Amino acid sequence: MRKSAFLSLLITCVACVISEAQQPNALAGAWHSQQGDIQQTAVFVDGYLSHSVFDVKNKKFISTRGGAYTAQNGKLTVTWQYDTERAADNQPNDTWVGTSSTFTIGAGTELTTDLSGSTAPWHRIDANEGPMAGVWRITGRKQGDDISQMPLRDRRTLKILSGQRFQWVAINIKTGEFSGTGGGTYTFENGKYTENIEFFSRDNDRVGASLSFDGEIDNGSWHHSGLSSTGNPIYEIWDKLEE
């Protein structure tokens, strides 16, 4: 009788562990909040957060910040790698780069958090569905007939993709230097990757434009070719960020 009871308890515990392990990350994916014309998005993917603020109607980029995150017991902790507002204010990088901030979170069908400074509801856009979701870094660029390899350094360009949203950032994770960003929605169908721009820090007039590229995933690498936002031909290779 004792063995039977023990076996039943063991099976129940194993089932609980399996069930918990199979539950999706409640934060994973893209979230959206809006007040008036000001929109905010937060993308949580592969342990990385990017939080952006922008105004599509008036074609205005406002800010973006991001870095590695953890979430536990209703608390979101972010270790900052970039923050345009702090960089623009010339705040000493040792006062914020690599430091952490903690926010309250409650995730379900809606996300409630004070990430934006005051507690507000955020609506889910996606849950990182699809093969493109992840944090990608550029690892190679075609120059002539050769592929120039690009080793991982403190200064880097990342593409942060959820199931439906994209953002690229050009940053230095040690100095806090910020070189630019752009983001919006994307599709990836039949070998075509298309970006629909909703913010662009270098040129607000790019908002509303769409850019299409040839794209394929080959052995885990993303081959990306076409014309850049400036009209120049590109052939790039991107791989998932590993540190």
Side-chain angles (χ1 to χ4, degrees):
M1 188 70 176
R2 289 181 179 177
K3 288 184 178 180
S4 177
F6 175 76
L7 182 59
S8 177
L9 178 61
L10 179 61
I11 292 173
T12 301
C13 289
V14 170
C16 289
V17 170
I18 292 174
S19 176
E20 184 176 348
Q22 289 178 338
Q23 288 181 356
N25 183 334
L27 279 178
W31 300 82
H32 178 265
S33 181
Q34 184 166 352
Q35 286 189 317
D37 294 332
I38 306 302
Q39 301 186 50
Q40 298 188 62
T41 56
V43 172
F44 298 88
V45 60
D46 291 350
Y48 209 87
L49 161 69
S50 189
H51 171 215
S52 301
V53 186
F54 53 96
D55 179 345
V56 175
K57 180 181 177 181
N58 296 297
K59 297 186 175 183
K60 183 180 180 181
F61 167 73
I62 298 173
S63 66
T64 191
R65 57 180 178 167
Y69 82 89
T70 59
Q72 190 174 13
N73 299 325
K75 298 293 183 182
L76 169 68
T77 300
V78 186
T79 301
W80 302 111
Q81 293 185 353
Y82 60 93
D83 186 323
T84 55
E85 290 187 332
R86 286 169 164 168
D89 289 343
N90 293 316
Q91 294 185 21
N93 62 352
D94 59 357
T95 65
W96 66 272
V97 177
T99 67
S100 297
S101 301
T102 299
F103 307 91
T104 60
I105 53 169
T109 55
E110 284 192 346
L111 171 68
T112 302
T113 179
D114 58 353
L115 180 64
S116 60
S118 59
T119 301
W122 296 61
H123 304 285
R124 181 183 287 282
I125 299 172
D126 64 60
N128 291 340
E129 304 89 349
M132 301 301 292
V135 180
W136 300 80
R137 75 172 186 91
I138 189 167
T139 56
R141 180 179 284 123
K142 194 170 186 177
Q143 296 180 325
D145 294 328
D146 300 321
I147 298 293
S148 176
Q149 299 299 314
M150 304 177 69
L152 183 62
R153 296 190 173 96
D154 294 338
R155 186 174 182 177
R156 59 190 63 176
T157 299
L158 304 177
K159 277 186 180 281
I160 305 158
L161 273 67
S162 69
Q164 298 179 32
R165 294 198 63 84
F166 84 94
Q167 182 182 2
W168 63 268
V169 291
I171 59 176
N172 187 311
I173 66 168
K174 292 297 184 185
T175 67
E177 178 186 4
F178 180 84
S179 301
T181 190
T185 63
Y186 79 92
T187 58
F188 184 54
E189 298 174 343
N190 301 319
K192 287 290 183 182
Y193 170 80
T194 301
E195 295 180 342
N196 306 299
I197 301 172
E198 294 183 347
F199 61 88
F200 196 94
S201 66
R202 295 173 178 171
D203 182 1
N204 286 323
D205 288 336
R206 299 297 301 172
V207 173
S210 294
L211 300 174
S212 289
F213 303 88
D214 293 325
E216 67 170 338
I217 305 296
D218 183 13
N219 292 324
S221 295
W222 174 13
H223 291 250
H224 176 83
S225 61
L227 298 178
S228 71
S229 59
T230 58
N232 295 317
I234 59 170
Y235 188 108
E236 300 170 341
I237 299 174
W238 296 72
D239 288 278
K240 291 289 184 70
L241 178 66
E242 295 181 359
E243 294 192 273

